Amino acid sequence: MPDIAGLRDELADIELQDDRALLKLKSRDFYWYSPILKKQLDGKTAELIARPRTEDEVLRILTACRARRVPVTVRGGGTGNYGQCVPLEGGVLLDMTAMAAPIAIVDGVVEVEAGAKMIDLDLWCRDQGWELKLWPSTKRTATIGGFVAGGGAGVGGISHGTMRERGNFHGARVATMQDPPRILDLEGQAANPVNRTYGTTGVLTRIKVPLTPAQAWRDVAIVFDDFTRASRFALELTHSDGIPKKMCAVFDSQLPPFFKGLADAVPAGKALVLCAITPAGMTALKELAAEHGGRVVAEQDAVAAERDPELTPFYEYCWNHTTLQVLKKDRGVTYLQCRMPFEDTLAALEAVRIPFRDEIWMHMECVRFGGRITMSALPVVRWTSAERIYEIIAAFEKHGIGIANPHVLTIEEGSNYRRVPGDQLGFKQNVDPLGLLNPGKMRDFTPPETAAA
Amino acid sequence: MPDIAGLRDELADIELQDDRALLKLKSRDFYWYSPILKKQLDGKTAELIARPRTEDEVLRILTACRARRVPVTVRGGGTGNYGQCVPLEGGVLLDMTAMAAPIAIVDGVVEVEAGAKMIDLDLWCRDQGWELKLWPSTKRTATIGGFVAGGGAGVGGISHGTMRERGNFHGARVATMQDPPRILDLEGQAANPVNRTYGTTGVLTRIKVPLTPAQAWRDVAIVFDDFTRASRFALELTHSDGIPKKMCAVFDSQLPPFFKGLADAVPAGKALVLCAITPAGMTALKELAAEHGGRVVAEQDAVAAERDPELTPFYEYCWNHTTLQVLKKDRGVTYLQCRMPFEDTLAALEAVRIPFRDEIWMHMECVRFGGRITMSALPVVRWTSAERIYEIIAAFEKHGIGIANPHVLTIEEGSNYRRVPGDQLGFKQNVDPLGLLNPGKMRDFTPPETAAA
């Protein structure tokens, strides 16, 4: 048994919590979208929560945990969907939300403490004329450290790709689990080993990301007679380099009724496109929509909406919020994450949408990867069984659709590529030789040193 | 004979000029890059220059010319390369450079008088936090009206495409040659018939173009051991959505010696890449360059350089300035304008570069068209004969390379598509029924009304 009592004594001047309800709450994320993960992860909890205020406190916590061979699992806003912050082997839950200060913007790159909420960070940058390139649909609760470590794709992907795209992640300060723990200052490609590794390769204490000049985004909702027309419009919009955009999502007609605040504006049976466009692009957008038979049914100032707790920015219907909007009313669904082929995107889409239409409600996000345009599909799937999910995945893959499986725990299995990119494994062996950082999440890792205390 | 004397009397309170040397000078552009066009156009001159200060004066000039059946050819900065502003049938040269006032920026769209110099317009926008999406390498002398009417491609094309890309040209006010001449206010797709029609479809008096937030561009020069590596790097950079860029050009080793101000920095025999990148993208850029064996040899603040008459912003080595830099020292060359295929771009490039290497010095510009990335080639070509140019064009076309022939006079022949896009012909029949606007430039046009006075 790990010496939690000893830890508590040694770290008495740091904010610690071990209330059972709080431990349970903070040991969870949104993995329950997946009935498969729910079964595996329900009941897993940390034994102690530590909430450091400074890098020094982080180092002291890591030192104390290392000495006692106590696992450490890092948590930001807890908005992940794959159990990224669920401690599989108990130990300490490192809550980073007290380290949330923005440091500075230099040459268009912001440096910020890892526990900053993305909405706060973005609005702080916006006051200085900049905005984040990328954010998740959970921007109002997610932290920047959690986004880098646990996600890295979302709103903005239509123009900037993902956090893995060269240039989108500038660097980080990382606390290691070495003997003794130390701080690494990583920049450029050298920072890749801490990008989307669920905190298995060090504790992110500060993040640097390049920004993009702030724009006054307009949320626009457009309805179409059918999903095919809506998708064709969305892809053409995405290819229209003259129309600056932050987002473009397509929803089959089953989904808009679940979107509180928008449902009334979308006639029954219509497919829906939600996009975020600059004011200067609105004329061209509306012309393009009309050419495709689309009709604008709602429009709002996206930034004003996200600042107002009463309002819903349209991105909160998009990305993985789509699934959440449905789950609020119907707990019998789950979802998939798919990358459509670059060529003949719509043909592949229709090939899976039509046969599965009673079971799968299609939802697409237009994105760029490596300078090329395609769509990510995040369809809502009626849950029956794990076997059925894997049948559906196989059917999708047959049509050249890549799957980033959201029903698995490890970094490798959740990746499109089924492996850890770059030299993340080698890096982890160096910075976490005992394998104490979020153990069980990097499948291919075996600790080089024995963990016996 | 047109009644020029009568015109002069009627328009006496408008700025008119008929000095022979000035008429000759103002009737020319940079068509002389093409020995073929030089032979056809040398000696063509207007009979009178009119320089209006207001839209009312434009209308009065057009009314007077229409009544006397006098052709009107519009001129901006005279930086075209295809004789766009050369009056084939004499008449009035309408010099728009006195109408140069910026009007306003509303929701990121600037409205400006058509004769504004692009550098002045861009710096005026920049003071308000915006910049032009696109400009020609002749930004320091070209006008916005001339760019819309006569070019529309250039710096910025790597991110925004061309002026023909939906959303890049917002609208225009246009004076027609109807009876009586009138002003049309065109927006969105309705403005397409005046986009790149050399002033044959009306006189642009005001332009509206969407802007993009101003960035502090860095000019960067990178050398590579050979052209193949340089091109591979350039294409990968162009596909790197995480690195914001305004320009990326590749030059084979024969060209940098002609670039005054850069020649000393580029070792003999090296291929050169010139790009403009945001400060936030520099770390990623330099890492990518190093991975491809590139070495940064020069760097400067691009905006400071263009503001200083003593300095050369790197874009003045790019686009059609490349040819000009060579012509300054060697009048025995000309050039081509080619669009490389989207797929296997580098294979097509090498297939024409290597066999022609003694005769053609390769120069590429990375660009986007319709959301997809490729390269435009503007190679410098050793001049021998028109027949040889057409042999070369045929050889390029055999490899799937599209040619926008810069050795022809008409809009249709100069287009990649060999035709006028949209309903420009129908529009012209309506707004210029007598065919008095820049006659001879729209090949497929026949005046619906008899021109007899």
Side-chain angles (χ1 to χ4, degrees):
Chain A
M1 286 295 290
D3 177 19
I4 299 293
L7 255 190
R8 206 185 285 114
D9 288 347
E10 186 178 338
L11 303 174
D13 58 326
I14 292 176
E15 184 182 338
L16 304 176
Q17 290 157 327
D18 59 2
D19 173 77
R20 186 171 299 266
L22 201 65
L23 278 171
K24 195 175 161 192
L25 185 75
K26 293 271 186 178
S27 297
R28 295 167 60 85
D29 62 14
F30 288 82
Y31 65 77
W32 53 269
Y33 287 19
S34 162
I36 298 171
L37 289 181
K38 186 165 162 44
K39 205 167 145 187
Q40 288 177 276
L41 295 179
D42 270 359
K44 304 276 181 198
T45 60
E47 289 146 287
L48 187 69
I49 298 165
R51 191 160 176 265
R53 284 158 306 183
T54 64
E55 233 168 41
D56 277 348
E57 289 191 355
V58 171
L59 286 176
R60 282 184 50 213
I61 294 165
L62 296 184
T63 304
C65 288
R66 190 186 204 284
R68 293 172 178 78
R69 306 301 192 250
V70 173
V72 175
T73 301
V74 189
R75 177 190 172 92
T79 57
N81 286 105
Y82 327 122
Q84 292 103 313
C85 72
V86 176
L88 298 182
E89 302 180 10
V92 165
L93 197 293
L94 196 68
D95 177 346
M96 295 299 291
T97 55
M99 293 177 64
I103 315 292
I105 298 173
V106 177
D107 283 344
V109 177
V110 66
E111 182 171 11
V112 58
E113 288 188 321
K117 256 197 243 180
M118 294 191 78
I119 180 88
D120 297 338
L121 174 60
D122 192 49
L123 295 179
W124 185 81
C125 294
R126 185 166 278 274
D127 285 344
Q128 295 167 76
W130 297 96
E131 67 176 57
L132 294 171
K133 288 182 179 183
L134 303 173
W135 61 73
S137 65
T138 50
K139 180 183 185 183
R140 297 209 267 197
T141 46
T143 65
I144 181 72
F147 188 57
V148 167
V155 181
I158 194 170
S159 292
H160 307 290
T162 72
M163 194 59 88
R164 283 197 185 175
E165 199 74 52
R166 187 190 286 270
N168 283 342
F169 175 45
H170 195 85
R173 282 170 70 90
V174 184
T176 72
M177 223 7 159
Q178 288 160 297
D179 184 17
R182 68 191 69 160
I183 296 289
L184 305 179
D185 213 329
L186 306 174
E187 214 171 275
Q189 300 291 96
N192 282 350
V194 299
N195 191 349
R196 201 169 182 278
T197 49
Y198 302 180
T200 60
T201 54
V203 176
L204 301 174
T205 60
R206 287 189 185 184
I207 302 288
K208 282 186 190 172
V209 285
L211 302 169
T212 189
Q215 301 254 32
W217 299 107
R218 301 282 309 161
D219 278 341
V220 188
I222 311 170
V223 297
F224 294 82
D225 280 347
D226 57 60
F227 186 82
T228 310
R229 278 170 222 230
S231 312
R232 205 176 289 138
F233 160 76
L235 263 191
E236 191 173 337
L237 172 62
T238 309
H239 281 85
S240 295
D241 287 326
I243 306 178
K245 44 209 163 284
K246 197 82 181 187
M247 183 182 82
C248 179
V250 191
F251 307 91
D252 208 349
S253 58
Q254 304 102 328
L255 290 165
F258 292 94
F259 297 174
K260 195 183 159 214
L262 261 185
D264 291 346
V266 182
K270 298 282 183 186
L272 175 68
V273 168
L274 296 180
C275 53
I277 303 291
T278 58
M282 290 298 289
T283 299
L285 173 77
K286 288 177 179 177
E287 286 185 337
L288 184 64
E291 288 171 26
H292 285 264
R295 187 163 60 83
V296 174
V297 294
E299 210 185 310
Q300 68 180 2
D301 176 327
V303 180
E306 71 179 1
R307 283 181 191 234
D308 183 343
E310 300 295 310
L311 294 179
T312 305
F314 286 0
Y315 62 72
E316 289 187 356
Y317 303 113
C318 298
W319 290 90
N320 220 1
H321 256 75
T322 308
T323 312
L324 181 60
Q325 300 292 0
V326 178
L327 282 165
K328 282 178 186 173
K329 297 186 179 176
D330 178 348
R331 293 297 282 253
V333 301
T334 184
Y335 73 116
L336 279 177
Q337 299 178 143
C338 321
R339 185 192 292 186
M340 306 306 293
F342 291 107
E343 300 295 331
D344 299 321
T345 308
L346 295 183
L349 171 55
E350 294 300 81
V352 295
R353 182 181 71 93
I354 293 165
F356 288 103
R357 198 160 184 273
D358 293 335
E359 189 176 3
I360 297 179
W361 301 344
M362 198 52 86
H363 157 214
M364 315 298 295
E365 296 285 343
C366 297
V367 290
R368 296 174 68 102
F369 288 107
R372 301 176 74 194
I373 288 164
T374 186
M375 291 167 138
S376 286
L378 290 99
V380 174
V381 179
R382 172 69 49 199
W383 170 255
T384 46
S385 69
E387 292 66 36
R388 183 58 183 159
I389 286 288
Y390 281 95
E391 276 173 30
I392 293 169
I393 287 177
F396 274 53
E397 287 181 333
K398 231 178 58 188
H399 288 282
I401 300 171
I403 303 290
N405 189 351
H407 301 283
V408 292
L409 273 182
T410 67
I411 301 166
E412 292 89 338
E413 290 169 293
S415 156
N416 251 307
Y417 307 102
R418 305 282 194 280
R419 58 179 180 76
V420 176
D423 192 26
Q424 295 186 338
L425 263 177
F427 184 86
K428 180 169 172 75
Q429 292 194 326
N430 188 32
V431 299
D432 183 25
L434 300 176
L436 292 170
L437 292 172
N438 206 354
K441 302 296 174 63
M442 191 182 278
R443 186 193 59 190
D444 297 343
F445 172 75
T446 314
E449 294 176 23
T450 165
Chain B
M1 285 295 291
D3 175 22
I4 300 293
L7 256 189
R8 203 184 288 114
D9 287 348
E10 185 178 338
L11 304 173
D13 58 328
I14 293 177
E15 185 182 337
L16 303 175
Q17 290 156 327
D18 60 2
D19 172 77
R20 186 172 300 266
L22 201 65
L23 277 171
K24 195 176 161 191
L25 186 75
K26 293 270 186 177
S27 298
R28 295 167 59 85
D29 62 14
F30 288 83
Y31 66 78
W32 52 268
Y33 286 21
S34 162
I36 297 171
L37 289 182
K38 187 166 161 42
K39 207 167 145 189
Q40 290 177 272
L41 295 179
D42 270 359
K44 303 278 182 198
T45 60
E47 290 145 284
L48 186 69
I49 298 166
R51 191 160 177 264
R53 285 159 303 181
T54 64
E55 231 169 43
D56 276 349
E57 289 191 356
V58 170
L59 286 176
R60 282 185 50 212
I61 294 164
L62 296 184
T63 302
C65 287
R66 189 186 206 282
R68 293 171 179 77
R69 306 300 192 250
V70 173
V72 174
T73 301
V74 189
R75 177 189 172 94
T79 58
N81 286 104
Y82 327 122
Q84 292 103 311
C85 73
V86 176
L88 298 182
E89 302 180 11
V92 165
L93 196 295
L94 196 68
D95 177 345
M96 295 298 292
T97 56
M99 292 176 64
I103 314 289
I105 298 174
V106 177
D107 282 343
V109 177
V110 67
E111 182 170 14
V112 58
E113 287 188 320
K117 257 197 239 178
M118 293 192 76
I119 180 90
D120 298 337
L121 174 60
D122 192 50
L123 296 178
W124 185 81
C125 293
R126 184 168 278 275
D127 285 343
Q128 295 166 76
W130 297 97
E131 67 177 56
L132 294 171
K133 288 183 179 182
L134 303 173
W135 61 73
S137 66
T138 51
K139 181 182 184 183
R140 296 209 269 197
T141 46
T143 64
I144 181 71
F147 188 56
V148 168
V155 180
I158 194 171
S159 292
H160 307 289
T162 71
M163 194 60 87
R164 284 198 187 174
E165 199 73 51
R166 186 190 287 270
N168 283 342
F169 174 44
H170 196 85
R173 283 170 69 90
V174 184
T176 73
M177 223 9 156
Q178 288 160 295
D179 185 16
R182 67 190 71 158
I183 296 288
L184 306 179
D185 213 328
L186 306 173
E187 214 171 275
Q189 300 291 95
N192 282 351
V194 299
N195 191 348
R196 200 166 182 278
T197 47
Y198 302 179
T200 60
T201 53
V203 177
L204 300 174
T205 60
R206 288 190 185 184
I207 301 288
K208 282 187 190 171
V209 285
L211 303 169
T212 188
Q215 301 254 31
W217 300 107
R218 302 282 309 160
D219 277 341
V220 188
I222 311 170
V223 297
F224 293 83
D225 280 348
D226 56 61
F227 185 82
T228 310
R229 277 170 222 232
S231 311
R232 205 175 289 138
F233 160 77
L235 263 191
E236 190 174 335
L237 172 61
T238 308
H239 281 86
S240 296
D241 287 325
I243 307 177
K245 44 209 164 283
K246 197 82 181 186
M247 183 183 81
C248 179
V250 190
F251 306 91
D252 208 351
S253 58
Q254 305 102 328
L255 290 165
F258 292 94
F259 297 172
K260 194 183 160 215
L262 262 184
D264 292 347
V266 182
K270 299 281 184 188
L272 175 67
V273 167
L274 295 179
C275 53
I277 303 293
T278 58
M282 290 299 288
T283 300
L285 173 78
K286 287 176 179 177
E287 286 184 337
L288 183 64
E291 286 171 27
H292 285 264
R295 187 162 61 81
V296 174
V297 294
E299 208 184 310
Q300 70 180 2
D301 177 327
V303 181
E306 71 179 1
R307 283 180 191 237
D308 183 342
E310 300 295 310
L311 295 179
T312 305
F314 286 1
Y315 63 72
E316 288 187 356
Y317 303 113
C318 297
W319 290 91
N320 221 0
H321 257 74
T322 309
T323 313
L324 181 62
Q325 299 292 359
V326 178
L327 283 165
K328 283 177 183 172
K329 297 186 178 175
D330 179 348
R331 295 295 284 250
V333 302
T334 185
Y335 74 116
L336 279 178
Q337 298 178 142
C338 321
R339 185 193 293 185
M340 306 305 293
F342 291 107
E343 299 296 329
D344 299 322
T345 309
L346 295 182
L349 170 55
E350 293 301 80
V352 295
R353 182 181 71 93
I354 293 164
F356 288 103
R357 198 160 184 274
D358 293 336
E359 188 176 4
I360 297 180
W361 301 346
M362 198 52 85
H363 157 215
M364 315 299 293
E365 297 285 342
C366 297
V367 289
R368 296 176 68 100
F369 288 106
R372 301 177 72 194
I373 288 164
T374 186
M375 291 167 137
S376 286
L378 290 97
V380 174
V381 180
R382 174 67 51 201
W383 169 255
T384 45
S385 68
E387 292 67 36
R388 183 58 182 157
I389 286 287
Y390 282 95
E391 277 173 30
I392 293 169
I393 287 177
F396 274 52
E397 287 180 333
K398 229 178 60 187
H399 288 283
I401 299 171
I403 303 289
N405 189 352
H407 301 284
V408 291
L409 273 183
T410 66
I411 300 166
E412 291 90 338
E413 290 170 294
S415 157
N416 252 306
Y417 307 100
R418 305 282 194 279
R419 57 178 180 79
V420 175
D423 192 26
Q424 296 185 337
L425 264 177
F427 184 86
K428 180 168 171 75
Q429 291 194 326
N430 189 32
V431 299
D432 184 25
L434 299 177
L436 292 170
L437 292 172
N438 207 354
K441 301 297 174 61
M442 191 181 277
R443 186 194 57 189
D444 297 342
F445 172 75
T446 314
E449 295 178 22
T450 165

